[in-house]
Amino acid sequence: MPMRTEIPVYHPDLYSASAIRDTYPHYAALRALGPVVWLSKHKVYALPRYAECKQVLLDDDTFVSSGGVGLNPVANRVGQGTTLFSDGDEHARRRSLLAHRLTPRALRTMQDTVDQQAAAVVEAAAARRTVDAVEVATALPMSVVPDLVGWPQQGREHLLRWAGATFDALGPFNRQAVRTLPASLGMMRYARGVVRDRSVLDGSMGHDLLRASDEGRIMPAECVTMMIDYLAPSLDTTISAISSALYLFATHPEQWRLLKADPDLVPKAVNEIVRYESPIRAFSRTAARDTELAGVPLPKGSRVLVLYGSANRDPLEWDDPDTFDIRRDAARQLGFGQGTHGCAGQGLARLETSAMLRALIERVDRIEPTGTPEWSLNNVIHRLERLPLELIPA
Ligand code: HEM
């Protein structure tokens, strides 16, 4: 491929409050500029199109995560020791420690409990009728994941704030990241205490990690980072998917009717929801050597920004990308990442989101908006903050 010497430049701040809340016009502008675009504000190469995002995610020898996947040096240092920020054997070793917890077989043992919890959440919400759907979407992830990870009851009230802050801290060093840094360090401090006091729940992931540390398979400090590794990305992401589902079905009643008429569409609907409103906006990688991408030379050390949310709306990859259609085959969407760092918890996220959809199909006839939705302000997470809806029982 001939080398391009002129790399298009984008000056607007992709992480301003207005760009976070209304991000799709920025993605479209970036995609129109080219496959690799220099973000002058953040000194990083943005990848707005599907093909290059996928290529980078699959080439983890060239585009590494051990330099951090955030956009500022503080977060990229603090996050060292996590699965997310590691490469090669080190990454495989960390990932294998907890893989058995999230296999399809392990998840099947959780299915009944998750289904029952989802049914209870939806039943209570349908009885209230008028709800903030974000609260409804929060209930299931908050009851499933902290138990799985083994977080003690005490301190759970802070989890959501800490987890959101952990994502915020991975953005550029803007006001948002600075404001939330203490909360993200709070989670780290708390996890250290949990490991020190061995106060994890028996039979949980945390318990497995303590045992691995006792047997010398990991360092005690890794127990802390790995607990956070599984807890931090598991709340806002799934809350995002479930609340976006409620939003999308409220605003696309014909799609809701399709789903109600054919509940077998649930797995496809989950992919389409994650494609259409990707819960994670972007993570970065560092070039481990001089390389090129789509004909653009990238010197060793260059940071590239994988825009999952933009790749999932790229018209070069998707027909009518801005149309929400649960009949679409969106299995190749990049919302859960791809390749070696592909989401370790996606089976669980799919289980929770599907359980909520099935519970809604059974108990709710129509979903109607009753007010203006509000999007959260977070550097990395794309999710609703408030979503007033009426659930009209079946
Ligand atoms: C809808 C929900 C979710 C979405 C959209 C999502 C998205 C992602 C994405 C995009 C990545 C890739 C990061 C990269 O490319 O560097 C990732 C990694 C990860 N996710 Fe998720 N996630 C979700 C739910 C969960 C849950 C429920 C858990 C835990 C139980 C979890 C645990 C992880 C972990 C541990 C990694 C790091 C994997 C690695 O680096 O090898 N995620 N997730």
Side-chain angles (χ1 to χ4, degrees):
M1 188 175 291
M3 287 288 179
R4 295 168 196 238
T5 43
E6 283 293 305
I7 301 173
V9 180
Y10 195 65
H11 296 296
D13 179 359
L14 212 53
Y15 291 86
S16 68
S18 66
I20 286 175
R21 293 206 166 108
D22 185 17
T23 205
Y24 294 112
H26 291 271
Y27 291 163
L30 285 166
R31 284 192 305 263
L33 281 173
V36 179
V37 180
W38 177 248
L39 296 185
S40 58
K41 174 90 183 152
H42 305 298
K43 311 275 179 285
V44 66
Y45 296 95
L47 312 179
R49 297 183 185 168
Y50 181 94
E52 290 73 30
C53 285
K54 189 162 178 168
Q55 184 182 338
V56 163
L57 293 174
L58 293 179
D59 184 1
D60 54 294
D61 282 339
T62 310
F63 296 100
V64 297
S65 295
S66 48
V69 301
L71 276 190
N72 72 79
V74 176
N76 285 340
R77 202 172 49 243
V78 172
Q80 289 299 319
T82 58
T83 316
L84 189 64
F85 282 21
S86 44
D87 293 310
D89 292 346
E90 190 70 348
H91 172 257
R93 181 180 66 81
R94 291 197 174 121
R95 187 129 172 177
S96 70
L97 283 168
L98 292 176
H100 61 286
R101 289 282 176 175
L102 295 164
T103 58
R105 192 156 154 222
L107 291 173
R108 270 197 297 280
T109 66
M110 295 170 66
Q111 173 102 47
D112 287 349
T113 315
V114 173
D115 280 344
Q116 281 161 19
Q117 289 177 353
V121 169
V122 171
E123 210 146 287
R128 286 205 308 279
R129 274 183 89 120
T130 313
V131 294
D132 175 356
V134 177
E135 269 176 43
V136 178
T138 303
L140 188 64
M142 278 302 283
S143 77
V144 171
V145 186
D147 280 350
L148 183 72
V149 176
W151 210 257
Q153 288 297 339
Q154 195 204 1
R156 284 191 184 189
E157 66 279 13
H158 303 297
L159 275 186
L160 202 53
R161 190 169 53 87
W162 286 342
T166 306
F167 274 116
D168 240 335
L170 290 170
F173 215 48
N174 57 10
R175 197 181 313 156
Q176 237 349 70
V178 174
R179 193 171 60 78
T180 50
L181 196 61
S184 96
L185 294 175
M187 185 181 235
M188 184 74 95
R189 221 175 2 254
Y190 185 80
R192 266 195 219 115
V194 168
V195 170
R196 189 191 52 230
D197 302 342
R198 303 181 72 91
S199 53
V200 294
L201 302 184
D202 268 355
S204 63
M205 281 182 168
H207 196 239
D208 290 354
L209 290 173
L210 284 181
R211 201 169 41 225
S213 161
D214 293 343
E215 292 167 2
R217 285 182 287 132
I218 56 170
M219 306 289 288
E222 275 183 291
C223 285
V224 176
T225 47
M226 287 198 58
M227 278 189 78
I228 293 178
D229 227 357
Y230 280 80
L231 195 58
S234 62
L235 297 172
D236 290 272
T237 49
T238 317
I239 295 168
S240 162
I242 299 172
S243 47
S244 286
L246 281 155
Y247 169 63
L248 289 167
F249 286 120
T251 49
H252 298 76
E254 77 296 345
Q255 295 288 318
W256 177 241
R257 279 194 298 277
L258 275 174
L259 188 68
K260 270 188 77 84
D262 184 4
D264 287 348
L265 284 171
V266 163
K268 275 190 150 179
V270 173
N271 275 327
E272 178 65 351
I273 291 156
V274 174
R275 182 194 73 83
Y276 196 83
E277 297 291 5
S278 306
I280 295 190
R281 301 176 75 211
F283 278 145
S284 71
R285 296 290 191 266
T286 314
R289 54 179 174 80
D290 290 347
T291 186
E292 62 89 19
L293 193 60
V296 174
L298 295 174
K300 178 176 174 181
S302 305
R303 194 167 278 281
V304 295
L305 188 64
V306 180
L307 289 162
Y308 310 100
S310 178
N312 281 339
R313 297 281 194 110
D314 178 4
L316 294 174
E317 179 64 25
W318 309 94
D319 293 335
D320 293 329
D322 296 328
T323 300
F324 174 64
D325 185 352
I326 60 170
R327 289 160 300 184
R328 180 199 297 274
D329 181 6
R332 66 190 187 287
Q333 51 83 15
L334 297 182
F336 287 113
Q338 184 93 187
T340 188
H341 287 279
C343 179
Q346 65 178 289
L348 179 59
R350 287 176 193 279
L351 184 78
E352 292 175 74
T353 311
S354 306
M356 283 296 289
L357 288 179
R358 282 194 307 270
L360 284 159
I361 290 169
E362 262 181 46
R363 292 166 182 81
V364 173
D365 185 40
R366 277 173 297 134
I367 307 173
E368 288 186 358
T370 53
T372 313
E374 230 176 78
W375 290 90
S376 289
L377 205 50
N378 188 296
N379 280 325
V380 174
I381 288 288
H382 168 71
R383 84 160 168 92
L384 286 150
E385 184 69 40
R386 214 177 77 84
L387 176 61
L389 289 184
E390 184 173 1
L391 302 176
I392 296 143

